[in-house]
Amino acid sequence: VVVVIEGRDTAGKGGAIQAIAEHLNPRQCHVVALSKPSERENTQWYFQRFVPDLPSAGEFAVFTASWYNRAGVERVMGFCAGTDVEIFFDTVVDFEALLIRSGLKLRKYYLDISKAEQKKRLAERKTDPLKTWKNSPVDAKAQDKWDDYTKARNEMFRRTNHTIGPWRIVRANQKKRGRLALIRDLLDSFDYKGKDPSLVKPDRELVFSWSPEAARKGLLAH
């Protein structure tokens, strides 16, 4: 299983991943958070650095700072060229389809928060000693570049949402409710022994599949 967790700065990706992984066997579940690519990695096929962390049979991998960095922070912050972004969009669906045809189960989640909620969480990082370590130069520009991130997010959904690899949106202004909604939806998406549908029934007010119609209805923060 491969789970991709994406979202804006302060969306709660780390907390959501911790909630998913904390009760799983660490020998079978691992969290992937790759750092900035090296000079050598910058010369490689873009997806190459993610391949070594893909799971084997019986394993569960959660990606934060996934290959979708190219469609989000790398693009908005100017860490890659426009041609790199276009190549990414032209190839990512094929890459994911290859993984799925090879037997991997892919789930893609985007944690969606409002601009006001992001502002509040950024302010908390400046005053809460348990959160100050999260501050970064990228975070400092999050509010100023809100519209740029919104535009990049919308194009990412439009060009990378596909039948076998759809995006699932989680309304994450309320952290605990958002995490529970994500976990229920994740469990509901699989068939397994002892599954109780009443316990994992997703709250469709909080988690739903992206679609052009959902975008037109303004269901995402903007």
Side-chain angles (χ1 to χ4, degrees):
V1 175
V2 174
V3 179
V4 169
I5 306 287
E6 288 293 338
R8 300 176 191 265
D9 297 318
T10 77
K13 299 184 288 293
I17 290 171
Q18 183 179 2
I20 293 170
E22 64 179 334
H23 297 300
L24 298 180
N25 188 333
R27 290 178 295 180
Q28 296 169 320
C29 173
H30 63 282
V31 176
V32 184
L34 300 183
S35 58
K36 178 182 176 181
S38 65
E39 290 186 17
R40 181 171 183 271
E41 288 173 328
N42 278 328
T43 69
Q44 297 172 345
W45 175 48
Y46 176 69
F47 298 100
Q48 186 169 333
R49 65 195 298 255
F50 301 99
V51 171
D53 288 297
L54 293 173
S56 300
E59 294 180 351
F60 191 101
V62 188
F63 281 78
T64 180
S66 74
W67 45 90
Y68 282 102
N69 264 11
R70 177 129 298 178
V73 63
E74 289 184 20
R75 180 184 193 180
V76 173
M77 298 300 294
F79 297 154
C80 65
T83 53
D84 295 326
V85 176
E86 284 303 310
I87 292 171
F88 171 81
F89 281 136
D90 287 342
T91 56
V92 64
V93 173
D94 290 335
F95 171 68
E96 292 178 353
L98 177 62
L99 299 184
I100 294 165
R101 288 199 302 268
S102 299
L104 277 77
K105 308 298 183 183
L106 176 66
R107 301 292 185 269
K108 302 189 303 192
Y109 289 94
Y110 185 92
L111 307 185
D112 198 41
I113 59 172
S114 67
K115 187 174 184 179
E117 181 64 20
Q118 185 189 64
K119 183 177 181 180
K120 173 186 172 184
R121 294 182 187 182
L122 287 170
E124 288 174 352
R125 288 186 178 184
K126 295 179 180 179
T127 58
D128 188 337
L130 297 179
K131 297 180 180 180
T132 53
W133 64 272
K134 295 181 178 182
N135 286 317
S136 73
V138 172
D139 289 350
K141 298 181 179 180
Q143 286 272 290
D144 292 340
K145 291 187 174 291
W146 177 271
D147 291 341
D148 294 330
Y149 274 110
T150 298
K151 182 179 179 180
R153 176 204 65 186
N154 292 346
E155 184 173 6
M156 178 185 77
F157 289 151
R158 181 170 53 83
R159 298 182 67 175
T160 67
N161 188 77
H162 52 112
T163 304
I164 58 175
W167 277 104
R168 300 158 189 254
I169 312 302
V170 181
R171 288 178 166 170
N173 274 354
Q174 297 181 43
K175 291 182 180 180
K176 184 175 181 179
R177 290 187 67 203
R179 291 168 189 170
L180 287 171
L182 190 162
I183 291 171
R184 289 192 182 105
D185 184 83
L186 180 61
L187 290 169
D188 184 65
S189 72
F190 292 102
D191 292 321
Y192 52 90
K193 184 178 179 180
K195 179 177 178 179
D196 184 344
S198 67
L199 292 178
V200 298
K201 183 180 180 181
D203 182 346
R204 292 303 176 209
E205 289 294 316
L206 294 179
V207 57
F208 54 91
S209 296
W210 180 88
S211 67
E213 182 181 7
R216 287 194 297 271
K217 288 182 176 179
L219 298 182
L220 282 76
H222 56 276

